[in-house]
Amino acid sequence: LGGIQPTEMTRASIFTVILLASSIPIFWMEHALVRGHMRQVEAGLLISFLMGAAFLVNTAYDFHEFGFGWRDNTYASLFYVILGLHALHVAAGLLMNATVQAKVVTGRVSAEHHVTPDVFALYWHFVDGVWIFVFASLFLAAQMPAALVQALYREVTRIVQMPDVSEKLLATGHRVVGGTPQQLADKVKREIDKTRKIMRESGMPQQ
């Protein structure tokens, strides 16, 4: 990790459980929705919102407490960029959740008309699913021997390149691109260097 101390796992693991568990109230909400139990729908949305908000607050705390900066090395840059992007998706999910809650309270959602909750539920399950990979790659991988990380990478690469998996990913708008973790890190570094250059040339202040 280039001299960077791996992040503390206990709190990260606890809030990982909280985020993943926040999908449970959404499953409950979906089940209640088709039966017209709107009170349960409201409760499921609120519980999931509070769990997601707790996760987001913890992420903000992490950014404040990290013992390294995003410019320290490639790993640090990847850590900040990936974690930051996921945090933005969580924040967007919370806004969607609040919007759905408002629609439920005002009677614009029913057992017959529930497109907005359905879309939100899919999005939130997606955000939770993505976190599994983020947590594994940024937190767990930092604690693993390099040989084990490479073995896992090879297995994941083999799976996503299987014809049926690739077709399903393409159907959802995702294209599988080959490459190693180092190549991804190098690409992120090039983009960061490009951004710095633009900021210097435009006279923008740099942190």
Side-chain angles (χ1 to χ4, degrees), residues 7 22 55 73 93 121 125 144 148 161 191 197 201:
T7 51
S22 70
F55 175 86
N73 62 21
H125 296 323
M144 294 180 181
L148 179 56
Q161 290 179 346
E191 292 300 320
K197 181 180 179 182
E201 293 176 349

Side-chain angles (χ1 to χ4, degrees), residues 123-153:
Y123 178 84
W124 194 252
H125 296 323
F126 165 76
V127 169
D128 281 1
V130 167
W131 178 252
I132 295 175
F133 294 97
V134 173
F135 181 73
S137 60
L138 296 184
F139 292 83
L140 292 180
Q143 316 288 331
M144 294 180 181
L148 179 56
V149 173
Q150 290 299 322
L152 289 172
Y153 168 74

